Amino acid sequence: MKKLGFILMAAVMLLALAACGGKDEESKGSSKDGAIELNLWTDWTEDRPENTLSKDIIAKFNEEHEDIQVKIEEIPHDQYETKLRTQAAGNQLPDLMRVWPGARTAPLAEGGAILPLNPIIDNWEGVIPDSILQDYAVDGNYYAIPGNVSITSLIYYNKEMLKEVGYDEFPATYAEFKELVKALDEKGITPIALGNKAIWPLQSVYISTIGDRFTGSDFLNKALNGEASFEDPQFVSALSVIDELTKMNAFNEDMNTLDEAQSRNEFIKGTSAMHFAGSWAIGPILDSVENADNIGVAPFPSFEGGNGDQAKIAGVAGGGIAVSSQLSEEEQEAAFTFLKYYYDEELYQGLIKANIIVPADVEMDDSIPQIFQDANSYVKGGLAPVYDATLTPELTDIINNGLQSITLGDKTPEQLAKEMQKEAESK
């Protein structure tokens, strides 16, 4: 009798669990009032303008769509990606999730965890260049839409200082740029404020774009796969630009003891004519200079004989929102409706007002500073890969340290290229 009691109790428990499971499956993606609920994981825990903007747009979407409700779950950034990978391994991803391009999204796409957005990608045709959308493409499929773009290679310049040496416009070619550097140096003006103490600026800000101008955007992946060599003359020519500029006194003497922010402050104070930095410098510069109209921004000059697209600029697409592949057809349609609503004019105009570069071609009114409008326009030429976002950590360390050694006269461009190739071949 006792044994029979246990058997009956186990049967009751199994029936209860089955009932609960059936109920959960039935109610997945639906709220009590019949609306489709989509759970969105984000890292929007910090009080930043772009986070507030995103939450406001989602709240507005929920108000305007009674049949679809997007619920945000905020996870601190330091924990976010770890949790995302863990949940993906257990096939327990949320309906929607924040993702980042390249190697950070590819595993989710290749593992079938997220859904291709190909059915709706035409929604952004003519709005976002395909060269930028490609940051979220894997094997011909698109998996997210970027909200912003981080450019690493811009040239900020003091218009009055350039006029002092006869330049009303910024040089378009490297040959002309060298003449500008020479003229500034002869005038006793430091041409470029550089802070390379952290050893990444010469790589991320300078070589990412200079290298692409010479080698083309497919060079890094080819070199990593053994299809090209870091000792390629074009790549050596790119490294040689840093050597040449150093020998021309283009940089401040204390370039390797100042950090990036300190060198930017030197430019703001007017102790140098130019500062090379990414789009992150726009806000601090605009907030600190006395006359914003005296500050111009330009893309890197073109290099004669280079194999790369001279219009591209180094940068990466910002975070996007991916869709779980586990959604039902009805839930997928709801997710697509949300994405088309979210990645629209309101988002991009709001980001622009916060001095954040956007991938979309949108109109800007006179309230947007000209320096920002110009910087944002350079995105249209397409994005070149950022070296430290593409190379292995070992190669990144080698090029970072090697570029600094070049400025100190301790290493030649050829020696650095050889060292990088040796590391690439060791894998």
Side-chain angles (χ1 to χ4, degrees):
M1 291 293 292
K2 188 175 182 180
K3 184 177 180 180
L4 180 60
F6 279 125
I7 292 172
L8 290 171
M9 185 180 294
V12 170
M13 289 178 68
L14 284 171
L15 286 170
L17 286 170
C20 288
K23 183 179 179 181
D24 287 344
E25 188 65 31
E26 184 180 342
S27 62
K28 182 184 183 299
S30 299
S31 64
K32 293 179 181 178
D33 56 6
I36 294 174
E37 280 190 4
L38 299 173
N39 187 30
L40 167 62
W41 280 9
T42 78
D43 62 337
W44 298 334
T45 54
E46 296 180 19
D47 186 18
R48 296 161 59 180
E50 58 266 39
N51 293 350
T52 301
L53 172 66
S54 292
K55 293 175 189 177
D56 288 345
I57 291 174
I58 292 172
K60 185 178 175 183
F61 173 86
N62 288 338
E63 289 177 7
E64 297 179 8
H65 296 77
E66 294 182 358
D67 57 332
I68 307 170
Q69 294 295 291
V70 177
K71 293 194 172 183
I72 303 171
E73 182 177 340
E74 298 174 30
I75 302 163
H77 183 75
D78 291 345
Q79 304 168 23
Y80 183 86
E81 289 197 78
T82 300
K83 184 172 183 179
L84 198 64
R85 287 193 297 269
T86 302
Q87 295 298 104
N91 201 27
Q92 294 179 316
L93 287 172
D95 305 318
L96 304 165
M97 67 218 80
R98 279 266 288 170
V99 292
W100 288 267
R104 299 161 79 179
T105 292
L108 295 173
E110 292 166 354
I114 53 179
L115 195 69
L117 303 184
N118 295 38
I120 57 170
I121 202 67
D122 287 349
N123 189 69
W124 295 277
E125 186 176 356
V127 178
I128 300 177
D130 187 67
S131 59
I132 297 177
L133 291 173
Q134 283 295 326
D135 273 15
Y136 278 108
V138 179
D139 295 331
N141 293 314
Y142 301 88
Y143 288 93
I145 308 300
N148 66 293
V149 171
S150 178
I151 299 173
T152 69
S153 304
L154 292 168
I155 301 176
Y156 301 91
Y157 63 95
N158 185 305
K159 295 179 181 178
E160 290 181 2
M161 286 185 175
L162 264 62
K163 285 182 180 179
E164 283 184 41
V165 293
Y167 287 80
D168 292 324
E169 294 184 359
F170 198 85
T173 68
Y174 180 56
E176 294 169 346
F177 177 77
K178 286 192 290 184
E179 291 300 317
L180 168 61
V181 169
K182 182 180 178 181
L184 289 166
D185 183 49
E186 290 177 348
K187 186 81 172 178
I189 299 172
T190 301
I192 305 169
L194 169 62
N196 197 52
K197 181 180 179 180
I199 71 173
W200 60 264
L202 279 175
Q203 166 266 124
S204 184
V205 177
Y206 287 73
I207 289 299
S208 288
T209 290
I210 295 171
D212 194 79
R213 294 275 202 271
F214 278 100
T215 67
S217 298
D218 59 351
F219 173 75
L220 289 184
N221 283 327
K222 284 186 175 181
L224 291 172
N225 294 330
E227 301 171 27
S229 170
F230 285 108
E231 294 184 87
D232 185 299
Q234 290 282 20
F235 182 64
V236 174
S237 293
L239 299 177
S240 297
V241 171
I242 303 303
D243 187 37
E244 184 174 34
L245 291 176
T246 303
K247 291 173 179 175
M248 290 180 66
N249 297 322
F251 308 122
N252 44 297
E253 290 185 359
D254 57 352
M255 58 183 146
N256 289 313
T257 58
L258 294 183
D259 64 28
E260 203 266 343
Q262 289 173 318
S263 64
R264 180 172 65 240
N265 289 335
E266 290 300 314
F267 169 72
I268 290 169
K269 289 191 297 184
T271 59
S272 67
M274 293 175 280
H275 176 60
F276 290 29
S279 52
W280 60 80
I282 295 176
I285 289 174
L286 288 176
D287 291 343
S288 303
V289 295
E290 292 183 6
N291 179 14
D293 292 334
N294 185 43
I295 305 299
V297 64
F300 273 46
S302 61
F303 292 85
E304 186 177 356
N307 292 336
D309 184 340
Q310 303 298 308
K312 282 189 174 183
I313 189 167
V316 292
I321 296 175
V323 179
S324 170
S325 60
Q326 299 299 309
L327 300 187
S328 67
E329 187 175 337
E330 186 180 21
E331 289 163 350
Q332 289 178 21
E333 288 302 317
F336 289 166
T337 298
F338 166 68
L339 291 179
K340 288 189 283 188
Y341 182 98
Y342 178 79
Y343 290 105
D344 202 9
E345 184 85 5
E346 184 176 354
L347 174 69
Y348 294 123
Q349 289 291 357
L351 291 172
I352 285 168
K353 287 180 171 58
N355 290 324
I356 296 171
I357 301 292
V358 300
D361 184 12
V362 293
E363 290 187 11
M364 301 184 201
D365 58 40
D366 293 338
S367 68
I368 306 301
Q370 190 61 45
I371 183 176
F372 180 89
Q373 295 191 41
D374 290 342
N376 201 87
S377 70
Y378 302 144
V379 172
K380 295 178 183 177
L383 297 180
V386 180
Y387 270 51
D388 56 13
T390 309
L391 296 175
T392 63
E394 293 81 9
L395 279 167
T396 298
D397 287 342
I398 290 172
I399 192 171
N400 283 352
N401 288 297
L403 288 168
Q404 187 176 69
S405 294
I406 287 174
T407 66
L408 295 170
D410 296 337
K411 189 169 288 185
T412 66
E414 290 80 6
Q415 287 172 331
L416 174 54
K418 185 175 182 179
E419 191 178 347
M420 293 181 69
Q421 183 57 26
K422 182 179 179 180
E423 168 60 29
E425 291 176 354
S426 71
K427 299 301 182 185

